[in-house]
Amino acid sequence: MNRSVERQIITEALAKMGPHVPATRIWGRAPSATGDMGAEGNVWAGDVHDVAVHIATALYVRLGERPLSPLAEADEAKRRRDIGAEVGALTAGYARLTSAPWYPARPGDLVLIAYELAGEFPPFGEAYAVEAGQHKGMLSLRLLHASANGGQPVEGVAGVFAVEDALDPLSEPWMEAGPHRLTIVRDGRPVHIGGAW
C-alpha cells in the first residue's frame, strides 16, 4: 500500500511544531552521556520532509508492510474477487499521480526506477528522460541507462517503459512499477522520492 497520505500527515504535523509555522527545519537536542539536555554539541537539525520520511519509513518497515504498485493492488483485489477494491486501487493510484504537486511531467525531467531482486532478475535500475514528443502536446520517455550489479547492463528487461508521443508518459511506470520504485528529478532536484517506501 502506498503511504504518501500518512507521510503527508506526518510532514504537516511536524511543520506545525515550534514558534515558526510553517516550520521548514526541526531542531532538537540529544541527551549527553550524563543526561544533560542542554549540553553543547548535542544539537541536531533536520528538514521537515526528511524527518517525516524517516519516521514513516521506520514505522511502516517495522510493521512489515511491503509496498505494492497500484496495478499489483488491483491484481490482489481481483484474485479476491473484489471488483470495488480493484477499481478503487486503479482509481486511487492514478489520482495520487495526477494530484502530485509536480504533475504533469515536463521535458527535462528524469525518471529513475529501482527494482528489487525478483526471481532470476537481480536488483537493477533504469534512468529515463522525459522529452518533447514529435507532435504538439505529446511527450516521450527515452531510456538513458539501465544497469545491475555494479554497472552491468541488463538484457531483455530494460526500457519497457520507453514511449514516444504519449499524453502522460509517467502513468505506465507509476501504475505498473509503482510510485515506491520511482524517483523523479526536475531541474536537478528530486520532486518525488519513492525509494523511501
Side-chain angles (χ1 to χ4, degrees):
M1 173 178 277
N2 182 283
R3 289 294 178 182
S4 61
V5 173
E6 288 84 346
R7 186 175 59 206
Q8 183 63 32
I9 292 168
I10 293 168
T11 301
E12 289 171 3
L14 292 173
K16 293 177 183 175
M17 291 179 63
H20 304 291
V21 176
T24 57
R25 303 223 8 110
I26 294 180
W27 299 80
R29 290 194 187 277
S32 68
T34 61
D36 180 9
M37 291 299 285
E40 284 189 38
N42 291 328
V43 176
W44 60 269
D47 176 78
V48 168
H49 178 265
D50 292 342
V51 174
V53 167
H54 177 76
I55 292 169
T57 302
L59 177 62
Y60 294 113
V61 167
R62 183 165 292 166
L63 291 175
E65 286 195 8
R66 184 173 174 217
L68 296 174
S69 71
L71 187 60
E73 287 182 38
D75 285 344
E76 287 207 358
K78 187 175 188 175
R79 276 192 284 283
R80 295 190 312 266
R81 299 182 193 277
D82 185 346
I83 187 74
E86 181 181 353
V87 172
L90 296 172
T91 304
Y94 192 68
R96 283 193 303 264
L97 171 62
T98 58
S99 65
W102 45 264
Y103 182 85
R106 298 181 194 160
D109 288 354
L110 295 176
V111 180
L112 310 174
I113 306 177
Y115 301 95
E116 63 275 3
L117 176 69
E120 62 195 54
F121 294 107
F124 73 98
E126 296 179 298
Y128 293 87
V130 177
E131 299 174 341
Q134 293 182 352
H135 297 91
K136 185 175 182 176
M138 304 297 259
L139 295 171
S140 296
L141 198 58
R142 181 172 59 90
L143 179 68
L144 297 174
H145 182 74
S147 64
N149 294 331
Q152 298 299 313
V154 180
E155 301 292 332
V157 294
V160 296
F161 295 116
V163 64
E164 293 184 19
D165 281 352
L167 285 173
D168 188 352
L170 296 182
S171 62
E172 194 172 347
W174 184 273
M175 297 297 285
E176 289 189 24
H180 61 285
R181 291 189 179 109
L182 301 177
T183 298
I184 299 168
V185 178
R186 176 171 293 158
D187 301 327
R189 297 182 63 123
V191 293
H192 172 77
I193 304 172
W197 300 100

